[in-house]
Amino acid sequence: MDPLVRDAATLTDRIAQLDEDVRAFVPEPDRPRRIAADARRIAERWPDSAERPPLYGVPVGIKDIVRVDGLPTRAGSELPADALAGRQATVVDRLRRAGALVAGKTVTAEFAVLAPGPTRNPRDLAHTPGGSSSGSAAAVAAGMVPLAVGTQTVGSMIRPAAYCGVTGFKPTYGRIPVDGVIASAPSFDTLGLYARDVAGLATAAAVVCDDWQSAALGSGSPGPVLGIPVGPYLERAGAEALDAFDAQVKQVRAAGFDVRPVPMMDDFEQIVAQLFVMNRYEVARTHAEWFTAYGELYRPETVKAIREGHDIGDDAYARARQEREEFRERIAAAKDAHGIDLWITPAATGPAPRGLDSTGSSLMCLPWSNAGLPSLSLPAGATPQGLPFGLQCVAAWGADEQLLSWAPGIVTALAGPGPVGP
């Protein structure tokens, strides 16, 4: 038996065993047969080990708003799969060309909005894994797959990474094509990746991101200047998250990083309101045809979001778009004025909340998603009960390569002397 086919059998056994509790994957009746057949095709396509592509045989979970040939897309909803069908997403084309093995569809909140799926946090099954990319984050955290694809509209990549204690990457808006992905709010929707570590993210990012420059920075490059956005935004984090963040800042400073507090976002509530207007307006229009035809099948949380969007007029939306452009300019100006390379913040307002009826707060991700900036969540300690914290690192527009090349130094600093956590 080819080693890849043997590994595929181990993969399906692992998913069957672990997912009974975690529920990260969308159920698939004949997963073992499909994966074995895909593994054989991959092995036959690249028989010479010297010519194998970078993701040869790597199992990957795909969030169930991303279309994959041979697997139905339901987007965590009760709508018929035929209504949501379409061509395979470009991101899946790229993964498969690089030799990746699709392990299955991962659970999403309904239409990647608010209504949570059944996935549990592998760190503590009584707690949420976050949303909406819950299944992708949990599948990596549980050790079912080393790589998974998710999406972020506001906080749907970074927050689950923090809650589940994995490494999560949301590239610059538009860096990965989103064709073949069911939209939520198209002005924000961004594909991203979960992996066990930064190296795994970098390998996959080079495959799926447009025009990736792997050698953007050498290992001898100086460390980045880190900025802390002080003010109403940071104050929205909870006490546990802020205590953990203080400890993280001490560790990166002790490792030699230049860390600079920068007062900013005094109008954070207006920023939240502006994003809400754009988000809800776009969600309502994305779902206009489906909601008309299948409205009774939508869950209450999604119905509420769509109806909120119906109440937002074109003029209000146009004003919100203009406010966002002004906000992007302010973020870039603050970065330049203070010599900041990376912003660092808590990746979530606190550890994963108990219960599965909510996916938690996206506020720590909101301004950076609003600006379309590349973001990374690095595991950064845990509560005494073992619930993880994440450190969010945010780079300038288009600086995705720099973000991932700087991250290992920050990871090393966080692993240095002293506890990271409250």
Side-chain angles (χ1 to χ4, degrees), residues 102-422:
V102 174
K105 289 296 202 75
T106 54
V107 170
T108 175
E110 186 183 54
F111 289 111
V113 184
L114 292 171
T119 307
R120 302 171 176 180
N121 192 320
R123 308 302 181 190
D124 186 326
L125 297 177
H127 291 251
T128 178
S132 62
S133 302
S134 50
S136 291
V140 173
M144 286 185 261
V145 291
L147 181 68
V149 172
T151 65
Q152 179 157 309
T153 302
V154 183
S156 301
M157 286 292 309
I158 299 301
R159 183 172 80 261
Y163 284 175
C164 294
V166 297
T167 309
F169 173 49
K170 184 206 80 73
T172 299
Y173 173 78
R175 193 72 193 267
I176 304 175
V178 294
D179 59 291
V181 180
I182 293 175
S184 176
S187 293
F188 306 96
D189 297 343
T190 306
L191 281 157
L193 301 165
Y194 295 107
R196 293 170 178 164
D197 53 31
V198 175
L201 287 180
T203 299
V207 166
V208 299
C209 292
D210 286 342
D211 304 318
W212 190 263
Q213 305 296 317
S214 295
L217 285 178
S219 59
S221 300
V225 175
L226 308 179
I228 300 175
V230 177
Y233 156 72
L234 194 59
E235 292 165 4
R236 293 295 295 271
E240 285 183 292
L242 290 174
D243 286 347
F245 183 59
D246 285 345
Q248 294 154 12
V249 170
K250 289 176 183 175
Q251 288 195 288
V252 295
R253 276 192 168 130
F257 284 90
D258 183 355
V259 183
R260 303 176 184 178
V262 180
M264 58 191 300
M265 290 190 271
D266 288 343
D267 60 341
F268 183 61
E269 291 305 319
Q270 179 55 34
I271 296 166
V272 174
Q274 167 259 305
L275 181 138
F276 180 89
V277 168
M278 287 185 64
N279 179 283
R280 292 299 189 261
Y281 179 97
E282 294 186 7
V283 166
R285 282 141 188 87
T286 294
H287 286 271
E289 293 186 14
W290 290 327
F291 192 64
T292 298
Y294 304 106
E296 73 281 359
L297 299 179
Y298 280 70
R299 291 174 63 183
E301 298 94 329
T302 316
V303 171
K304 181 175 183 289
I306 291 171
R307 295 204 184 283
E308 287 169 343
H310 289 162
D311 293 336
I312 297 170
D314 294 347
D315 290 345
Y317 176 69
R319 285 195 301 274
R321 289 193 68 90
Q322 179 58 39
E323 290 173 3
R324 184 178 64 165
E325 290 308 308
E326 294 167 359
F327 172 69
R328 285 176 166 173
E329 293 171 2
R330 286 160 47 200
I331 291 287
K335 169 192 172 297
D336 293 342
H338 295 272
I340 303 303
D341 296 307
L342 294 180
W343 301 104
I344 58 169
T345 79
T349 55
R354 187 176 182 84
L356 303 178
D357 57 347
S358 167
T359 61
S361 170
S362 61
L363 281 176
M364 291 297 100
C365 308
L366 184 148
W368 319 111
S369 293
N370 196 28
L373 301 180
S375 307
L376 181 68
S377 181
L378 300 174
T383 68
Q385 294 75 33
L387 293 171
F389 292 108
L391 178 68
Q392 180 175 218
C393 304
V394 183
W397 181 282
D400 305 69
E401 292 91 342
Q402 288 87 345
L403 175 60
L404 292 188
S405 68
W406 280 321
I410 298 174
V411 171
T412 298
L414 294 173
V420 178

